[in-house]
């Protein structure tokens, strides 16, 4: 997994949740830090430095998918021809593979500063995950 240096900077910022700071200060071996050769000085439709660098790196690496939760970032990435997945999408996929309990993951995520969608949307994702487990 590639993490843009601009994103890491956001993750270790003193306003970031302590769990995020701790993870970012002790990156697992499977994480690679990258700096975009094209993102410096460019802003993609008013995006922040993290989203801008993430999209630039994904384009440079011809990434299979880009993890983004910011709606403007998702729109811009899609406009650039990139496939995106959200945090909730990653959790739903992990649940479909039997790697985690989706309801518990949502509960834990809700304890952070992550913007959670309305309960009816979360329930829709839980229902879809339950259905996929039944048909698997």
């Amino acid at each position: 997994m590639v993490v843009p240096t601009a994103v890491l900077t956001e993750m270790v910022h003193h306003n970031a949740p302590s769990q995020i700071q701790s993870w970012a200060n002790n990156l697992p071996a499977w994480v690679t830090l990258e700096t975009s050769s094209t993102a410096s000085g460019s802003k993609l439709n008013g995006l922040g430095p993290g989203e801008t660098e993430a999209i630039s790196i994904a384009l440079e690496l011809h990434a299979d998918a880009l993890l983004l939760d910011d709606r403007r970032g998702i729109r811009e990435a899609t406009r650039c021809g990139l496939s995106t997945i959200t945090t909730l999408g990653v959790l739903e996929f992990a649940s479909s593979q039997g790697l985690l309990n989706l309801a518990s993951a949502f509960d834990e995520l809700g304890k952070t500063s992550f913007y959670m969608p309305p309960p009816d949307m979360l329930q829709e994702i839980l229902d879809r995950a339950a259905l996929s487990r039944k048909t698997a």
Side-chain angles (χ1 to χ4, degrees), residues 37-51:
S37 59
T38 60
S40 63
S42 75
K43 289 272 186 175
L44 295 170
N45 284 342
L47 298 178
E51 290 87 359

Side-chain angles (χ1 to χ4, degrees), residues 17-35:
S18 60
Q19 305 97 313
I20 300 296
Q21 289 181 39
S22 177
W23 186 86
N25 282 314
N26 299 290
L27 292 174
W30 45 266
V31 172
T32 303
L33 286 178
E34 291 279 339
T35 301

